[in-house]
Amino acid sequence: MTQSASNPASPATLDTPRKPTVMDVAKKVGLSHTAVSLALRGRPGVSPKQQQRIRQAAAELGYQPKAAAQMLRSGRTGYIGLLLEPGGPEMLTHSSSSNAILSYFLHACQHSQRRYNVEFYHQNPDGFEPPHQLAGSLVDGLLLGGFIDAQLRKWLLQQPHYKWVSVDEPGPYAVLSDINIGVAQAVKELYDLGHRRIAYGGGPYHYRQHEIGRMGYLTGMSNLGLPVDESWIGRFGSMPQVPQMQNSRNQRQWVKNLLKQPNYPTAFIGNGIGVARNTLVEALTMGLRVPEDISIMAVGVSTSAMDTCPAFSTIENDYRTIMNTALDMLVQLVDGNTVKQNEVHVNPVIVMRESVGPIQA
Amino acid sequence: MTQSASNPASPATLDTPRKPTVMDVAKKVGLSHTAVSLALRGRPGVSPKQQQRIRQAAAELGYQPKAAAQMLRSGRTGYIGLLLEPGGPEMLTHSSSSNAILSYFLHACQHSQRRYNVEFYHQNPDGFEPPHQLAGSLVDGLLLGGFIDAQLRKWLLQQPHYKWVSVDEPGPYAVLSDINIGVAQAVKELYDLGHRRIAYGGGPYHYRQHEIGRMGYLTGMSNLGLPVDESWIGRFGSMPQVPQMQNSRNQRQWVKNLLKQPNYPTAFIGNGIGVARNTLVEALTMGLRVPEDISIMAVGVSTSAMDTCPAFSTIENDYRTIMNTALDMLVQLVDGNTVKQNEVHVNPVIVMRESVGPIQA
DNA sequence: GTGAAAGCGCTAACAA
DNA sequence: TTGTTAGCGCTTTCAC
């Protein structure tokens, strides 16, 4: 650690010595700071030999360019933003879809070597306030993850400065997942295994995913000529109003009534792993076996589905493709290129696991 | 939107007009840019009347200070960093403890009006690379959330520039949760409900929480003079090596063997909601009732615990207190104040729910 | 291929 | 109370 010795100037307190700058590196190798800047960014204009010396000197000094200065001068931040909705003040964990969006966003960024900045958008109680990322110009563009405050969307629409792409919600540039197609396909797969009596449960239906999921179920059933009994469609409370434990109890009660019927369903599709789990637990409590007596499928993410044994078969948003697509789209916008499609639809994936089996003779 | 009209200078392309700067606001009100800067930050030196005019003009222009410039000039970023470990390249959702840490971090930041920057630390395959937050000096200080790469910790220890506080892992400044105390207390509470045969399962034991949880179980049992049978302590695989589904199956198999014994336990404490859920499912499959035949407790977060019915009684890290404490500590460090305690211990909380009941006569 | 100079937008020190 | 000046650390432009 020789950097304090090589930084004789400037008021550096003893306990926190100044970080080295381009100038320090330049002095060390006896070149101009311009050369250092170019070399470290791999730009042409510096001979390979000098480049090597500069790199080494930088490494020895522990030099790291200050992002603020780079942003200020270059007019680009080099960062991509992700804006998510937090669970809310009292709901502590954010939803599993936010979680998946975040995970695959990170994955995509790592893959394409992009720096990111994740922000969780909180509405300000006194008056609208835009997200810091944008207000402070800390990102070149933004991915809006899932459902986001309407006021913010409105504000964004009338801002000329910002580039953004919406994920799984509509917008001028958007990537959407057609979970309805997945649900309809799940119905078909259950049908092929011999199932004819298939029930469905989900909600709250003001979320796009839940609403189109329900529609997918209806479509799937009607495509196969299967009758739909409205009492076989569960509608579960909107999270913020109904406390989670009560919601969970309601689900079990509904499933209990469903399975008490003489001709109870042989298969169930739940929109959300929680719904599926409560169905599993209720079935087991009633002495039914899964999947022998009843098959269960869930709309949800893999990790949650495999948490419990038997692992759930799932209808999953293909967040990997979704986020890669969205990031590509945003990069095009940021780079000023024209974007081919401003709305891309991504098909969900079906993964069969232990909770589904053929109907028993 | 009059900003383009009031920005006659500079090469602003038509589609992305330049964002207004302090100068634009200053011109509009006929004052110096210094006055504008002071006024908008609420610093003394500008008369209330002018302040009012400046604020209004800024609002009309949609002026927002550029964070990069503020950081560069002031030498402070005004941002607090949180560094988390992502689930890994293939494990997509990060752990529920990361999730809770993140949620309460956001909560604490919102509460104390602090800006934050969340980064997920990825090891670079070719050589060590420090997190961008620090490398780019984008934060004034850092909270290390949970288990973080050993190489990074080592690097941090020898860096003089950075202020950081470790959450639930040891470090020069750290906030730790004594989950062992919670587990021991849970044993006591089960004892008070009449339970004498109490089993425990957890792992992987290289995580601090799992290791000290197991110790808490041993302490709790020995405090009450209850005998410990080693075969009643489940040891479940280390996540990365054993695939999740297999791990889940192993857990059920272990529980099955446990509950097949003639004198099987009347209570079970699982370190992790997953373990608890698999125990529930296996018990139900074997025809046992929860909590009548067996009570189940889990170390884990509320939201996961209430996801399934019956809701699990939990031993929870008090992440609210943990994160508030850690943030306070970091702010002290950043402000250059001396910190009273450099290691704070926080007691966990026990929440009783439906999965636990008194022993049946 | 290299170096000098300008300046991104802001804040902090000073002078009026 | 106000305006002027300098400069944070870097990238860019332009002359050599």
Side-chain angles (χ1 to χ4, degrees):
Chain A
M1 297 299 113
T2 52
Q3 60 228 34
S4 54
S6 66
N7 278 342
S10 113
T13 31
L14 265 175
D15 52 337
T16 57
R18 225 194 68 222
K19 287 187 76 175
T21 74
V22 256
M23 284 303 276
D24 297 312
V25 182
K27 267 179 210 147
K28 178 152 183 171
V29 292
L31 291 171
S32 74
H33 66 274
T34 314
V36 175
S37 175
L38 291 175
L40 291 179
R41 282 177 301 139
R43 288 296 183 77
V46 183
S47 64
K49 192 179 166 181
Q50 301 287 34
Q51 270 199 35
Q52 188 47 44
R53 286 188 56 224
I54 290 173
R55 272 182 215 290
Q56 176 156 359
E60 280 171 18
L61 289 174
Y63 167 74
Q64 294 174 308
K66 192 160 251 179
Q70 293 180 306
M71 292 180 185
L72 184 56
R73 180 59 241 241
S74 68
R76 308 180 81 262
T77 68
Y79 284 74
I80 291 292
L82 174 68
L83 199 57
L84 290 171
E85 196 187 29
E90 285 310 309
M91 218 189 105
L92 306 160
T93 357
H94 45 284
S95 73
S96 65
S97 74
S98 294
N99 217 311
I101 288 175
L102 175 55
S103 299
Y104 280 104
F105 173 74
L106 297 175
H107 203 255
C109 286
Q110 199 199 0
H111 191 75
S112 59
Q113 300 258 55
R114 292 195 168 271
R115 300 187 173 176
Y116 58 83
N117 186 311
V118 181
E119 180 167 345
F120 295 81
Y121 185 68
H122 266 120
Q123 282 189 71
N124 200 314
D126 35 63
F128 174 76
E129 215 170 87
H132 292 316
Q133 293 183 334
L134 296 181
S137 299
L138 285 169
V139 295
D140 293 324
L142 196 63
L143 252 40
L144 273 197
F147 184 81
I148 294 278
D149 178 51
Q151 199 176 6
L152 174 62
R153 300 191 93 88
K154 197 179 139 202
W155 180 82
L156 272 172
L157 284 169
Q158 58 189 37
Q159 291 294 317
H161 306 300
Y162 308 122
K163 328 271 191 183
W164 55 285
V165 172
S166 194
V167 173
D168 214 12
E169 288 286 333
Y173 295 92
V175 181
L176 304 168
S177 182
D178 292 334
I179 205 72
N180 50 332
I181 294 179
V183 173
Q185 195 185 328
V187 171
K188 178 71 167 60
E189 299 214 9
L190 289 169
Y191 183 92
D192 290 343
L193 288 168
H195 295 276
R196 293 297 177 271
R197 302 196 306 277
I198 305 172
Y200 178 88
Y205 288 120
H206 60 263
Y207 283 114
R208 178 173 181 273
Q209 166 169 319
H210 283 276
E211 177 50 25
I212 72 172
R214 192 175 125 268
M215 287 169 57
Y217 167 70
L218 295 174
T219 311
M221 294 295 277
S222 110
N223 283 350
L224 297 165
L226 297 176
V228 171
D229 182 340
E230 272 295 323
S231 75
W232 282 21
I233 302 184
R235 299 158 184 284
F236 306 122
S238 29
M239 288 297 274
Q241 288 98 348
V242 182
Q244 194 182 2
M245 255 172 79
Q246 185 55 49
N247 197 10
S248 182
R249 262 192 230 112
N250 292 346
Q251 287 170 15
R252 277 198 62 170
Q253 187 57 49
W254 182 83
V255 171
K256 188 173 185 175
N257 290 338
L258 183 72
L259 299 183
K260 260 194 328 206
Q261 300 175 21
N263 254 331
Y264 67 85
T266 61
F268 175 79
I269 301 175
N271 201 328
I273 299 285
V275 178
R277 262 204 218 106
N278 280 309
T279 305
L280 168 66
V281 169
E282 185 59 42
L284 293 177
T285 305
M286 294 174 72
L288 299 174
R289 291 159 308 159
V290 175
E292 291 83 354
D293 298 315
I294 179 167
S295 286
I296 302 179
M297 288 200 71
V299 177
V301 300
S302 291
T303 36
S304 307
M306 295 191 298
D307 193 27
T308 325
C309 183
F312 291 112
S313 299
T314 47
I315 303 142
E316 304 184 11
N317 288 320
D318 182 1
Y319 281 115
R320 179 188 217 104
T321 306
I322 293 172
M323 295 313 290
N324 283 338
T325 310
L327 189 58
D328 281 350
M329 220 155 142
L330 183 58
V331 168
Q332 297 304 320
L333 280 175
V334 167
D335 291 349
N337 301 332
T338 51
V339 177
K340 287 163 287 189
Q341 276 183 282
N342 63 353
E343 183 172 305
V344 178
H345 289 254
V346 176
N347 274 348
V349 205
I350 290 190
V351 184
M352 281 298 178
R353 300 199 185 84
E354 308 158 344
S355 69
V356 168
I359 196 147
Q360 304 288 305
Chain B
M1 297 297 114
T2 52
Q3 60 229 36
S4 54
S6 66
N7 279 342
S10 110
T13 31
L14 264 174
D15 51 339
T16 56
R18 226 195 66 221
K19 287 188 75 176
T21 73
V22 257
M23 284 304 275
D24 297 312
V25 182
K27 267 180 210 145
K28 177 152 183 171
V29 291
L31 290 171
S32 75
H33 65 275
T34 313
V36 174
S37 174
L38 290 175
L40 292 179
R41 284 178 299 140
R43 289 297 181 81
V46 184
S47 65
K49 193 179 166 179
Q50 301 288 34
Q51 269 200 36
Q52 187 48 43
R53 287 188 56 223
I54 290 173
R55 272 181 213 291
Q56 175 155 359
E60 279 171 19
L61 288 175
Y63 166 75
Q64 295 174 307
K66 192 160 252 181
Q70 293 180 305
M71 291 180 187
L72 185 56
R73 178 59 241 235
S74 68
R76 310 182 78 263
T77 68
Y79 283 76
I80 290 293
L82 174 68
L83 198 59
L84 290 171
E85 195 187 30
E90 285 309 310
M91 217 191 107
L92 306 159
T93 357
H94 44 284
S95 73
S96 65
S97 73
S98 293
N99 216 311
I101 288 176
L102 175 54
S103 300
Y104 280 104
F105 172 74
L106 297 175
H107 202 256
C109 285
Q110 199 199 1
H111 190 77
S112 59
Q113 301 259 55
R114 292 194 167 270
R115 300 186 171 176
Y116 58 84
N117 186 310
V118 181
E119 180 168 347
F120 295 81
Y121 185 68
H122 266 120
Q123 282 188 71
N124 201 315
D126 34 66
F128 174 75
E129 216 170 85
H132 291 316
Q133 292 183 334
L134 295 181
S137 300
L138 285 168
V139 295
D140 293 324
L142 195 64
L143 252 38
L144 273 198
F147 184 80
I148 294 278
D149 178 51
Q151 200 176 7
L152 173 61
R153 299 191 92 90
K154 197 180 139 201
W155 180 81
L156 271 172
L157 284 170
Q158 58 189 39
Q159 291 294 318
H161 306 299
Y162 308 124
K163 328 268 191 184
W164 55 285
V165 172
S166 194
V167 174
D168 214 13
E169 288 286 334
Y173 294 92
V175 181
L176 304 168
S177 182
D178 292 334
I179 205 72
N180 50 331
I181 294 180
V183 174
Q185 195 185 329
V187 171
K188 178 68 168 62
E189 299 213 8
L190 290 169
Y191 183 92
D192 290 343
L193 288 168
H195 296 276
R196 294 295 177 272
R197 300 195 307 277
I198 306 171
Y200 177 88
Y205 288 120
H206 60 264
Y207 283 115
R208 179 173 180 274
Q209 168 169 317
H210 284 275
E211 178 49 26
I212 71 171
R214 190 176 126 269
M215 286 169 54
Y217 166 71
L218 294 174
T219 310
M221 294 295 276
S222 111
N223 283 350
L224 298 165
L226 297 176
V228 172
D229 182 340
E230 273 295 321
S231 76
W232 282 21
I233 302 183
R235 299 158 185 283
F236 306 123
S238 32
M239 290 297 275
Q241 288 98 348
V242 181
Q244 194 181 5
M245 255 172 78
Q246 186 54 49
N247 196 10
S248 183
R249 260 193 232 110
N250 292 347
Q251 287 170 15
R252 276 197 63 171
Q253 187 57 51
W254 183 82
V255 171
K256 188 173 185 177
N257 290 339
L258 184 72
L259 299 183
K260 261 195 327 204
Q261 300 174 21
N263 252 332
Y264 67 84
T266 60
F268 176 80
I269 301 175
N271 201 328
I273 298 285
V275 178
R277 263 204 216 103
N278 279 310
T279 305
L280 168 67
V281 169
E282 185 58 43
L284 293 177
T285 306
M286 294 174 74
L288 299 174
R289 293 159 305 160
V290 174
E292 291 83 354
D293 298 314
I294 179 167
S295 288
I296 301 178
M297 289 200 71
V299 177
V301 300
S302 291
T303 35
S304 307
M306 295 191 297
D307 194 25
T308 326
C309 184
F312 291 111
S313 300
T314 47
I315 303 142
E316 304 184 10
N317 289 320
D318 182 2
Y319 281 114
R320 179 188 216 104
T321 306
I322 292 171
M323 295 313 290
N324 283 338
T325 309
L327 188 59
D328 281 350
M329 220 153 141
L330 183 58
V331 168
Q332 296 304 321
L333 280 176
V334 167
D335 291 349
N337 301 332
T338 50
V339 178
K340 285 163 288 184
Q341 276 183 283
N342 64 351
E343 183 172 305
V344 178
H345 289 255
V346 176
N347 274 347
V349 202
I350 290 190
V351 185
M352 280 297 177
R353 300 199 184 82
E354 307 158 344
S355 69
V356 168
I359 196 147
Q360 305 286 306

